Amino acid sequence: MQSPVISNNEELNKYFSLLCKNNFPEFILKYIDSPVLKRLSGVGHFCGCDYTKLEFFDVKYWYSRLDHSIACACIAWHLTKDENQTLLALFHDCGTPAFSHCVDYMLQDIETQESAEKNIYDVINNDVPTLQLLKNDNIDINIFKNIKNFPIVENKKPKLCVDRLEGVLSTCLVWRKTWELSDIESFYDDIIVGYNENQEQEISFKNINSCEKFFEGILEYSISMQKNEDKIYMYLVGDILKQATNYKLFKFEDLYKLSENEILNLIKNSNNNKLVEMLDVFMNLTNIGRSDSPVNDVYSISLECKKRYVNPFIYGEHQQGRASELSKYCNELLNQYLNYEDTKYAYIKELTMNNSKEKTKEEELVK
């Protein structure tokens, strides 16, 4: 069955069709038009990197949190044919703010990056149109109370789940551009729902050879988010957002209502010269500095951020176990990531730390 046209982007339509194997879950179409999901079309999947000129963030095209959510729903439907889990995958990011995990940096939750996202049950429960759609389809809203009860959709690191699987695929396809659709297709048919070492359901590979190709993507995905480019731009965006709310250019809650472009325009059109300058530097940044020792008088950071990696389970007829246990190659790639270190410091010479200093007597930090 031919999948419906979801996007104006031809490659994305082919990507969605690939993920659902031309069996698109058409019952989600009406949900995609709901307000809580429509908002995500203005939120980038890659946490704001679309707005800088850094070559490291030269994404192929705009890929929104809504695109990511639709792709996750396609994967969930292909693997489970279960409407509940497919809707969970579709709505799993509906509590994500503009600039996504940059808001975690804003809130100083850099190592876990879980503070910014609202509970999806609360978001859906306050959205009348979505509640009506669920009622019409006889879907119990309580399934959204704890997504962790559905390990195919959401699972603990380093296990593979729908969200993590799609994160690797879209990173390599759209951001890092290390894969084409044909590369994804070459191993996607080997992905199944299996049972791991604890006899729990987990997205798995049928054989190690396909997993080794996927593991190369895992390495690209994981190291990209440990690079100093990623750390300092997310820190800077979080810094700009924090100061913008402190200066009352918009409310913290607006990050869950407005698109990223609307937020940027509020800052650009403000009379706050300091923030306008910081935003201009961010948007026109072409390179960053690196150092293993402190760098004075410039905007610099030294921090550890959340480690994102996957070690898939192989659930085959003749082999079962974690990829790193069954494959020397996967083990080498995993160790390459775990031992990866960028320079201790990253800096932006066009800014000083004075840009980041706040008038604490006059400003109120948003909690």
Side-chain angles (χ1 to χ4, degrees):
M1 180 173 62
Q2 184 68 34
S3 296
V5 175
I6 304 298
S7 170
N8 292 326
N9 184 312
E10 183 178 355
E11 182 172 78
L12 278 188
N13 285 316
K14 291 179 179 178
Y15 178 55
F16 297 148
S17 294
L18 189 162
L19 296 180
C20 67
K21 306 305 291 182
N22 289 316
N23 182 17
F24 190 85
E26 295 198 12
F27 69 91
I28 74 170
L29 289 173
K30 56 184 178 289
Y31 290 97
I32 292 172
D33 286 328
S34 66
V36 294
L37 288 182
K38 274 292 188 184
R39 180 186 71 85
L40 297 180
S41 65
V43 178
H45 180 51
F46 302 116
C47 305
C49 73
D50 307 85
Y51 308 103
T52 178
K53 294 180 180 178
L54 275 169
E55 185 178 354
F56 182 71
F57 295 120
D58 182 25
V59 295
K60 192 189 298 186
Y61 43 73
W62 173 254
Y63 190 74
S64 70
R65 284 276 162 179
L66 179 56
D67 294 323
H68 164 67
S69 299
I70 294 170
C72 285
C74 287
I75 296 171
W77 180 248
H78 167 62
L79 292 175
T80 69
K81 296 299 185 292
D82 179 75
E83 289 191 5
N84 286 352
Q85 293 188 69
T86 302
L87 285 173
L88 274 169
L90 182 66
F91 280 95
H92 81 281
D93 264 352
C94 70
T96 300
F99 300 100
S100 304
H101 292 297
C102 292
V103 180
D104 288 313
Y105 277 67
M106 171 188 177
L107 299 173
Q108 297 299 303
D109 178 22
I110 297 172
E111 293 199 39
T112 61
Q113 296 183 22
E114 295 178 349
S115 297
E117 190 167 356
K118 289 187 174 183
N119 183 279
I120 65 172
Y121 173 84
D122 295 336
V123 174
I124 294 170
N125 200 37
N126 285 296
D127 186 70
V128 174
T130 302
L131 288 175
Q132 187 59 53
L133 290 173
L134 293 170
K135 182 179 179 180
N136 293 344
D137 285 347
N138 294 314
I139 301 294
D140 186 353
I141 188 178
N142 289 316
I143 66 169
F144 298 101
K145 278 191 172 178
N146 193 348
I147 195 171
K148 293 179 181 178
N149 289 335
F150 298 85
I152 300 304
V153 180
E154 192 81 29
N155 214 333
K156 290 183 178 180
K157 182 180 65 182
K159 297 173 182 177
L160 194 58
C161 60
V162 165
D163 186 25
R164 205 164 286 130
L165 169 59
E166 205 291 320
V168 176
L169 299 182
S170 58
T171 294
C172 292
L173 178 67
V174 183
W175 171 16
R176 302 308 298 146
K177 300 186 285 289
T178 51
W179 284 344
E180 299 292 339
L181 290 178
S182 57
D183 297 303
I184 296 173
E185 190 171 21
S186 69
F187 60 74
Y188 188 69
D189 283 341
D190 206 50
I191 295 173
I192 59 169
V193 174
Y195 288 86
N196 63 23
E197 60 269 57
N198 298 316
Q199 294 305 302
E200 301 164 334
Q201 278 197 327
E202 182 181 340
I203 296 179
S204 309
F205 278 81
K206 288 188 287 188
N207 71 75
I208 193 65
N209 293 331
S210 295
C211 188
E212 286 180 340
K213 182 172 181 60
F214 179 71
F215 222 102
E216 293 171 354
I218 294 172
L219 182 67
E220 182 71 33
Y221 161 85
S222 300
I223 286 184
S224 292
M225 284 173 277
Q226 293 296 313
K227 291 274 190 180
N228 275 338
E229 284 89 348
D230 197 73
K231 292 179 183 179
I232 198 166
Y233 106 81
M234 291 187 72
Y235 187 92
L236 176 58
V237 173
D239 195 357
I240 292 170
L241 295 175
K242 180 174 125 178
Q243 293 190 57
T245 54
N246 287 348
Y247 282 116
K248 304 188 188 305
L249 300 186
F250 50 83
K251 297 177 181 178
F252 180 76
E253 187 63 24
D254 288 332
L255 293 168
Y256 298 87
K257 299 176 181 178
L258 303 178
S259 70
E260 290 173 354
N261 274 317
E262 288 172 324
I263 294 290
L264 292 175
N265 285 331
L266 286 173
I267 299 172
K268 288 177 186 177
N269 297 325
S270 74
N271 294 320
N272 191 309
N273 293 332
K274 182 176 77 170
L275 284 181
V276 170
E277 178 191 355
M278 290 179 73
L279 184 61
D280 183 67
V281 168
F282 163 69
M283 297 186 76
N284 291 287
L285 196 63
T286 57
N287 61 76
I288 67 164
R290 283 178 160 81
S291 175
D292 284 315
S293 56
V295 184
N296 299 320
D297 302 323
V298 294
Y299 192 96
S300 65
I301 62 160
S302 177
L303 51 85
E304 294 294 326
C305 69
K306 182 176 181 177
K307 289 188 177 293
R308 299 176 182 272
Y309 64 95
V310 190
N311 189 7
F313 193 79
I314 311 301
Y315 187 71
E317 185 177 350
H318 303 294
Q319 278 186 314
Q320 293 185 11
R322 291 286 156 193
S324 64
E325 299 169 352
L326 300 180
S327 166
K328 181 180 178 181
Y329 182 56
C330 289
N331 187 57
E332 288 173 353
L333 293 179
L334 179 59
N335 285 326
Q336 186 178 332
Y337 166 69
L338 294 176
N339 293 320
Y340 174 80
E341 289 185 5
D342 207 329
T343 57
K344 186 171 178 60
Y345 294 87
Y347 63 91
I348 299 172
K349 63 182 179 181
E350 292 86 353
L351 290 174
T352 69
M353 291 311 289
N354 288 331
N355 293 96
S356 188
K357 289 182 179 178
E358 302 172 54
K359 300 175 183 177
T360 54
K361 292 182 181 180
E362 301 173 14
E363 301 168 8
E364 180 182 1
L365 178 63
V366 177
K367 297 295 184 182

